[in-house]
Amino acid sequence: MNLNFSVPCLFGVEGLCADELKRLDMQDVRAENGRVLFSGAKADIAKANINLRTGERVLLTVGETKADTFDMLFEGVRAMPWEQYVPMDGEFPVKGHSLGSKLHSIPDCQRIIKKSIVERLKAKYKVDWLKETGAKYQVQFAIMDDTAVLYLDTSGAGLHKRGYRPQGNAAPLRETLAAAIVKLSRYRGRGPVCDPFCGSGTIPIEAALAALNRAPGLKRRFAAQKWAWLEAKIWEEAIGDAKSKEYSGDYDIWGGDIDPKSIAAATENAKRAGVLEHIRFETAEASEFRREASNGTLMTNPPYGERVMLQSEAEAIYRKLGAAAKNLDNWKMYILSSHTEFERAFGKKAVKKRKLYNGMIKCDLFMY
């Protein structure tokens, strides 16, 4: 069975996500704004969910239809092969969004799509009522420029929820964005890694997972694991294959934060992720940051002055960090910030910048 998929991702990381999918031997990989498309077999549902570091979720494409009117939407959705995926007792709630289209009322679109799928399944299963007491098959729709695409969400909780971080600090960095920063740094487990604003430990943990080549989805469950048409063997084989590709070694990864509570949370998170032995966390003032090593990689997400402090306070931190970093001539640095005056406050112009989004906050990754 040849299937088509869409992987939503944070703006700015589409290329990284596409590269991941190509390395996983997926077919027809195509990066677009905010998502990456690919095609594959049933087994690739498990493979993508378990291994992707920068994708937000894996959506199975059911079909596409023109949607100039509600009648067109209804008939187009009803023509899609829902019975191939949703069993007679399957639960199939509907959610989605509409952009630049005549059908802009989300509740009305949800109602029409739900009714259409119900009619299709009732006819195929020859029943008058669908109980929806079984596994969940979350339907998602995206209507853009009067074209509707219908999906089934195979992931459940977003892929950034690795299972190791039930608690975070005041402004946590999403795991998928931390993984993107690690990828952009080209860290492969060699040399020291430091994060002087580690918060709940996300960047050091993602760096350790990357160094170990450990699949980020090994410690969680996915919605499609309960789907009747996906055999348990598919998931078992994907997990076994991922584990067989892990590395072993000793890594020099350090995370510091001024808040002892953050360090305690980071330590617990690293323990849950199974990487604590590879990371050293310390309560430390970032402005006093020093390393004895002659070279290494600094990756960090300092306060922006948008959510947890004033911009003037953030600038003061950047100045101190910049002063501390003057002795790191042979180090590579990757610093994420939304502050438009970061380079001025840091005291050095970045060699390169890359636009990324931390949630809804537009940021730059300043590379030195």
Side-chain angles (χ1 to χ4, degrees):
M1 181 187 294
N2 189 57
L3 304 169
N4 295 314
F5 302 93
S6 176
V7 179
C9 50
L10 296 170
F11 287 108
V13 305
E14 298 94 340
L16 298 175
C17 186
D19 183 60
E20 281 194 86
L21 288 163
K22 288 174 183 175
R23 289 176 183 273
L24 289 170
D25 297 323
M26 303 304 180
Q27 303 300 308
D28 306 317
V29 177
R30 308 174 310 281
E32 298 183 352
N33 282 337
R35 66 176 184 174
V36 181
L37 307 177
F38 74 98
S39 61
K42 290 195 297 183
D44 292 323
I45 294 175
K47 194 174 182 182
N49 273 298
I50 290 167
N51 289 283
L52 277 177
R53 298 184 191 278
T54 58
E56 294 300 316
R57 58 184 64 246
V58 180
L59 302 178
L60 167 61
T61 305
V62 179
E64 181 177 314
T65 182
K66 286 294 292 179
D68 290 324
T69 67
F70 285 122
D71 284 342
M72 289 179 68
L73 178 63
F74 181 89
E75 294 300 334
V77 172
R78 189 167 64 171
M80 297 175 188
W82 295 100
E83 69 281 357
Q84 289 184 15
Y85 311 111
V86 183
M88 188 164 59
D89 67 343
E91 178 192 2
F92 52 100
V94 178
K95 64 181 180 181
H97 64 271
S98 177
L99 184 65
S101 298
K102 298 180 183 71
L103 305 183
H104 52 78
S105 171
I106 301 304
D108 286 336
C109 291
Q110 288 175 296
R111 179 176 54 81
I112 292 295
I113 290 170
K114 178 74 175 185
K115 183 179 179 182
S116 180
I117 300 172
V118 166
E119 292 303 313
R120 170 85 182 198
L121 294 180
K122 281 167 57 178
K124 291 295 179 178
Y125 292 127
K126 297 180 172 55
V127 296
D128 296 324
W129 181 258
L130 298 171
K131 295 180 180 180
E132 295 195 53
T133 55
K136 186 176 180 179
Y137 297 75
Q138 178 67 61
V139 177
Q140 288 204 20
F141 65 88
I143 305 176
M144 294 187 66
D145 300 323
D146 299 321
T147 296
V149 185
L150 276 293
Y151 308 99
L152 287 174
D153 180 3
T154 73
S155 302
L159 295 183
H160 68 279
K161 295 184 178 179
R162 318 286 207 212
Y164 66 71
R165 194 177 72 173
Q167 55 182 322
N169 58 355
L173 182 72
R174 184 170 284 203
E175 292 87 335
T176 43
L177 182 54
I181 294 171
V182 173
K183 279 189 169 292
L184 288 168
S185 76
R186 298 186 179 180
Y187 173 65
R188 298 291 187 273
R190 297 178 181 176
V193 165
C194 299
D195 179 1
F197 299 94
C198 74
S200 56
T202 313
I203 289 177
I205 290 170
E206 290 296 326
L209 290 173
L212 292 163
N213 198 38
R214 181 170 297 165
L218 289 175
K219 289 185 174 288
R220 56 158 289 177
R221 302 280 292 175
F222 304 95
Q225 284 180 269
K226 295 182 178 180
W227 291 4
W229 56 277
L230 283 177
E231 303 88 349
K233 183 181 177 182
I234 284 175
W235 297 93
E236 292 165 4
E237 290 178 349
I239 290 169
D241 182 61
K243 287 182 175 179
S244 72
K245 294 176 180 176
E246 285 188 14
Y247 306 144
S248 60
D250 296 319
Y251 305 106
D252 184 1
I253 302 172
W254 179 88
D257 200 282
I258 195 172
D259 181 8
K261 291 182 180 178
S262 289
I263 292 300
T267 301
E268 285 301 311
N269 293 340
K271 188 183 297 183
R272 274 185 287 269
V275 297
L276 184 58
E277 65 181 292
H278 303 290
I279 308 172
R280 181 162 58 92
F281 289 112
E282 290 182 342
T283 302
E285 166 62 61
S287 63
E288 298 173 359
F289 168 74
R290 294 289 189 278
R291 288 293 293 190
E292 298 299 324
S294 60
N295 57 66
T297 304
L298 184 149
M299 294 181 269
T300 195
N301 174 46
Y304 305 159
E306 293 200 24
R307 291 192 286 191
V308 296
M309 63 169 56
L310 298 173
Q311 285 201 357
S312 58
E313 294 176 303
E315 287 181 12
I317 289 174
Y318 299 158
R319 283 193 291 271
K320 290 180 181 179
L321 181 62
K326 284 183 179 178
N327 296 333
L328 305 178
D329 291 338
N330 295 321
W331 279 60
K332 297 189 295 179
M333 292 184 283
Y334 299 83
I335 305 171
L336 185 72
S337 178
S338 68
H339 201 303
T340 55
E341 296 297 315
F342 171 81
E343 289 168 299
R344 177 186 58 77
F346 187 69
K348 189 175 182 181
K349 191 170 180 63
V351 174
K352 191 176 179 182
K353 292 190 291 186
R354 181 163 180 148
K355 290 201 181 304
L356 296 170
Y357 279 79
N358 187 4
M360 297 303 293
I361 300 175
K362 184 179 178 181
C363 300
D364 282 298
L365 183 64
F366 296 92
M367 308 182 197
Y368 294 91

